[in-house]
Amino acid sequence: MDDEEARTRLLDAAEALFYAEGIQAVGMDRIRAESGVPLKRLYRVFPAKEALVAGYLERRDRRWTGSLRDAVAAAPTDAVGAVFDWLAAWFSEPGFRGCAFMNAYGELGAAGPAGSAGVLDVVRRHKAELRALLGEVAGPGREELADQLLILVEGATAVAALTPGPEPARRAGAAAAALMRAAGAGGAGARDQSSACVTDHSADREGGAVHGQPVRYSR
């Protein structure tokens, strides 16, 4: 096992455990056991737990944001509809536990414990990237609309964390479509989200394995 393989195995184990059980609840010994990476190599690749947490969130950010961007790009005439269809599919995935970035922020707090500044930087960068993408969906010069879309996305995600399933995304999508129409951006999201067809994007968020079991990657 070289360092690259060890890194992948460690990130796969961190992805599964931190998202399902929480960052604070999972120690490095558990990561070592689940990944099969010897402790000495683990600390060579990730010298501290904070580095592993940051690495897990950075990889998740690239995958999650990239998948959402692909969904938006595939629906140029209904970008806002594509956003909420994508969310509906994600909210319906087995093991969905809300936003990994907000979960991390909730555990670590605004200041965070010593050494967590890098982790919180990843969280803030992810939120900035999401806001930028929604700014593109809203259209040029519609900053307030982009902020409103962000609130709908984050609110739907929080609700779905408590009641998983597509309904929070559908209801938020209907509100988003109304906002788009009111802003004169009807062609980019005027469709009635309450009757939208939900497409399964779970394949975009899967990969890796822990003890031979696929790791389901979501936000």
Side-chain angles (χ1 to χ4, degrees):
M1 181 191 307
D2 59 17
D3 283 355
E4 189 58 35
E5 180 184 352
R7 178 181 177 83
T8 298
R9 290 169 68 110
L10 290 166
L11 288 174
D12 286 347
E15 181 97 36
L17 294 172
F18 289 156
Y19 186 65
E21 301 179 23
I23 293 169
Q24 305 282 31
V26 177
M28 293 296 267
D29 282 344
R30 180 88 181 281
I31 297 291
R32 176 195 57 75
E34 292 292 332
S35 66
V37 175
L39 196 61
K40 183 177 180 180
R41 187 180 291 271
L42 185 162
Y43 280 108
R44 185 167 73 200
V45 177
F46 293 105
K49 183 179 180 180
E50 290 75 16
L52 177 60
V53 175
Y56 138 65
L57 290 174
E58 285 170 347
R59 188 176 73 163
R60 194 180 194 95
D61 173 52
R62 290 192 298 270
R63 182 183 58 251
W64 191 93
T65 306
S67 179
L68 180 55
R69 278 193 174 278
D70 288 345
V72 169
T77 61
D78 189 15
V80 73
V83 168
F84 288 94
D85 278 357
W86 189 93
L87 291 175
W90 172 42
F91 295 167
S92 301
E93 289 181 357
F96 171 76
R97 286 196 66 253
C99 173
F101 300 89
M102 291 308 295
N103 292 348
Y105 188 86
E107 285 197 67
L108 300 176
S116 65
V119 174
L120 295 175
D121 283 347
V122 177
V123 172
R124 295 184 184 104
R125 186 165 62 248
H126 168 77
K127 294 304 177 185
E129 290 169 353
L130 176 57
R131 170 58 177 76
L133 174 57
L134 293 173
E136 295 170 18
V137 170
R142 296 193 174 105
E143 297 303 311
E144 183 176 352
L145 176 59
D147 289 340
Q148 291 169 333
L149 293 177
L150 178 62
I151 290 169
L152 287 171
V153 168
E154 297 289 13
T157 305
V159 171
L162 298 175
T163 55
E167 195 59 29
R170 289 173 177 162
R171 291 184 181 277
L179 287 171
M180 295 290 282
R181 288 193 296 270
R191 148 171 84 113
D192 180 1
Q193 286 289 318
S194 64
S195 61
C197 177
V198 175
T199 303
D200 182 4
H201 296 281
S202 60
D204 294 333
R205 295 180 290 278
E206 292 186 12
V210 176
H211 289 331
Q213 298 300 314
V215 176
R216 185 170 291 277
Y217 296 132
S218 49
R219 187 176 177 186

